[in-house]
Amino acid sequence: MKEEEQRFIGIDLAKRSFVAKVLLSGTGKGKILTGKTGYRGLRSLYKNLRPEDRVALEACSLGFWLARRLIEEVGCEVLVLNAGDLAIIYRSTKKTDLNDAEKLAWILKRLPIEELPVVAMPSEEEEDRRALVSELHSKKKMRTILVNRLHSVFTRVGHTEILKKDFATSGARENSVLKLSDRPKLEAMRLLSEIDFFEEHIRQIEAEMAVTLEGDSKAEVLFSMPGIGPQTALAFLAHIGDGSRFSKGRQVSNYVGMTPRIYSSGETERIGHISKHGCRALRSIIVQSAWSAVHTKKSNVFKRKYEELVPRIGKKKAIVAIARRMLETMWILVSRNEYFKGYDELGYRLKLQRLSCEARKAKKMGLAA
């Protein structure tokens, strides 16, 4: 094949459509391909591509799915890129689908692959796990919104003695609602049914997680850490995997968005808030695990470090620092396949027993074979 025939293609995806910009290795202007992301539209895209093409997509769920289809159907080289690390895209003042597709193609044409922010494509198992983590995060968020709404019903009619912790269980919520009358009670009853609905889904998802993690040696290693349960272990393994694509812990923190932004100008350098790039669900879960680790009755390295940091930087910054330290420690444990130093053996066995119990329940519910 002649070098001038090489094509560089950037594809920008929307929910229902795509725009592809095709650039030639020479000076030709190339062409534009557009279509729907349905079956017919994608079949047309496959026919317009060649095995010799190099294609770039932005990292997202649909992007990973299409990348696999392109490799299977066309056999071309496909690179999934982290747009957050491409200033030409995420800092651009002009944001259109065609403009982003042109930039992806332009980057492919001018930069060697080793200089591109390529994202490793997750396996199908990792994608299934990510979907579980995302669904659970979403359901819990909806439950929190409904509980806050329920609490507002009480405060609106003067029952300020009722706290959110009084809504921890279904029975406690029903007893609290008995204090209401007329219109507020009707509204509260509707909210109760919605909260029960989401809690049932949360139980089902957690049971499915238990089946997924049962017998997973990497998950068992993570359970040896204080504050780490099935949800955190699954979120970590879904997004970080066995850790082999990272060479040091800081890379993991940067990937999740837990490293601070650095602003530098002349002789002035200022450290800002964490970047918050990467998976929001994983960041949220690891922070919750950090709170769990620092609030345990038994002393551990994270609790001691937190107590040391709080007087200097405050609780919020301290817990983020602990969450990052826990994240990087998880990477070390998984990469080396070793247990947390000085772990609580009794607590560890209890975690495994609860996981096994949840897995059995899930199988009875028909959530696993």
Side-chain angles (χ1 to χ4, degrees):
M1 171 184 165
K2 297 180 181 179
E3 187 177 348
E4 60 267 24
E5 296 176 344
Q6 174 73 54
R7 301 196 308 174
F8 304 92
I9 304 168
I11 302 177
D12 186 85
L13 290 169
K15 288 184 178 180
R16 297 180 179 83
S17 62
F18 69 85
V19 177
K21 176 65 178 182
V22 181
L23 293 180
L24 305 176
S25 58
T27 57
K29 292 184 178 180
K31 62 180 181 178
I32 298 171
L33 304 173
T34 61
K36 300 293 184 181
T37 51
Y39 177 79
R40 292 184 179 178
L42 291 180
R43 294 307 303 179
S44 176
L45 175 64
Y46 302 153
K47 290 178 181 178
N48 279 285
L49 299 182
R50 307 169 187 165
E52 308 83 35
D53 292 337
R54 180 177 292 173
V55 179
L57 297 157
E58 290 185 21
C60 63
S61 298
L62 183 57
F64 287 128
W65 179 86
L66 181 57
R68 288 197 182 89
R69 301 290 83 74
L70 291 174
I71 293 170
E72 293 173 1
E73 299 288 340
V74 183
C76 57
E77 182 181 14
V78 183
L79 303 176
V80 181
L81 306 180
N82 181 3
D85 288 337
L86 294 170
I88 191 174
I89 291 179
Y90 84 88
R91 287 184 180 173
S92 175
T93 56
K94 184 180 180 181
K95 291 289 290 181
T96 66
D97 293 346
L98 177 58
N99 188 257
D100 284 352
E102 287 176 336
K103 288 173 182 175
L104 287 171
W106 183 89
I107 290 168
L108 275 189
K109 183 176 179 179
R110 286 161 177 77
L111 296 179
I113 293 177
E114 55 270 19
E115 293 184 16
L116 297 175
V118 178
V119 178
M121 283 196 290
S123 65
E124 290 187 5
E125 180 185 34
E126 286 175 333
E127 284 201 329
D128 288 342
R129 288 180 167 189
R130 290 182 183 185
L132 266 180
V133 171
S134 177
E135 185 183 5
L136 181 60
H137 180 71
S138 174
K139 300 290 186 184
K140 285 190 171 183
K141 188 174 180 180
M142 291 301 299
R143 181 195 177 277
T144 300
I145 292 172
L146 291 169
V147 167
N148 290 339
R149 176 71 181 177
L150 179 61
H151 185 252
S152 72
V153 173
F154 283 86
T155 56
R156 193 169 67 227
V157 294
H159 283 290
T160 55
E161 77 282 1
I162 301 295
L163 305 177
K164 291 180 186 177
K165 66 180 182 180
D166 297 322
F167 304 147
T169 65
S170 179
R173 291 192 294 270
E174 290 176 0
N175 289 334
S176 298
V177 168
L178 294 176
K179 297 182 179 181
L180 299 173
S181 60
D182 304 327
R183 172 66 179 72
K185 187 173 184 178
L186 293 174
E187 181 181 357
M189 293 299 292
R190 286 192 288 269
L191 288 168
L192 288 186
S193 64
E194 290 183 88
I195 294 171
D196 289 343
F197 175 80
F198 279 105
E199 285 189 343
E200 177 58 29
H201 280 197
I202 289 169
R203 283 191 289 270
Q204 291 178 14
I205 297 167
E206 289 177 341
E208 191 176 349
M209 281 184 168
V211 174
T212 302
L213 290 177
E214 189 180 29
D216 190 313
S217 59
K218 297 294 185 185
E220 291 177 0
V221 164
L222 292 176
F223 289 155
S224 66
M225 270 184 64
I228 303 300
Q231 184 181 350
T232 311
L234 187 69
F236 181 89
L237 295 173
H239 291 275
I240 308 301
D242 61 4
S244 59
R245 53 199 170 98
F246 302 97
S247 59
K248 53 186 177 181
R250 180 178 174 82
Q251 290 180 347
V252 180
S253 295
N254 185 57
Y255 176 75
V256 178
M258 298 201 72
T259 50
R261 295 178 182 270
I262 298 177
Y263 304 91
S264 180
S265 177
E267 296 180 357
T268 302
E269 185 174 283
R270 182 171 64 85
I271 297 178
H273 298 294
I274 60 173
S275 67
K276 294 188 179 180
H277 290 162
C279 178
R280 180 183 300 176
L282 179 54
R283 277 198 310 276
S284 174
I285 290 167
I286 196 65
V287 169
Q288 291 173 15
S289 295
W291 282 119
S292 178
V294 302
H295 284 149
T296 54
K297 293 182 180 179
K298 293 186 178 180
S299 179
N300 60 69
V301 63
F302 304 116
K303 184 175 183 177
R304 291 192 293 271
K305 186 64 178 177
Y306 173 76
E307 292 170 348
E308 175 191 329
L309 290 173
V310 168
R312 292 193 287 115
I313 61 177
K315 291 183 178 180
K316 289 184 178 180
K317 289 184 179 179
I319 202 64
V320 171
I322 296 303
R324 177 181 171 182
R325 177 169 292 205
M326 289 180 67
L327 183 67
E328 295 181 6
T329 302
M330 291 169 74
W331 171 77
I332 292 172
L333 297 183
V334 168
S335 300
R336 298 178 183 176
N337 198 31
E338 62 183 32
Y339 289 82
F340 187 71
K341 187 177 180 180
Y343 71 96
D344 177 13
E345 292 188 23
L346 177 59
Y348 174 72
R349 288 198 298 270
L350 287 174
K351 287 181 184 179
L352 293 182
Q353 288 175 5
R354 283 195 293 266
L355 181 72
S356 180
C357 182
E358 285 295 319
R360 287 196 299 272
K361 288 180 182 178
K363 291 171 183 177
K364 289 181 180 179
M365 293 165 61
L367 295 175

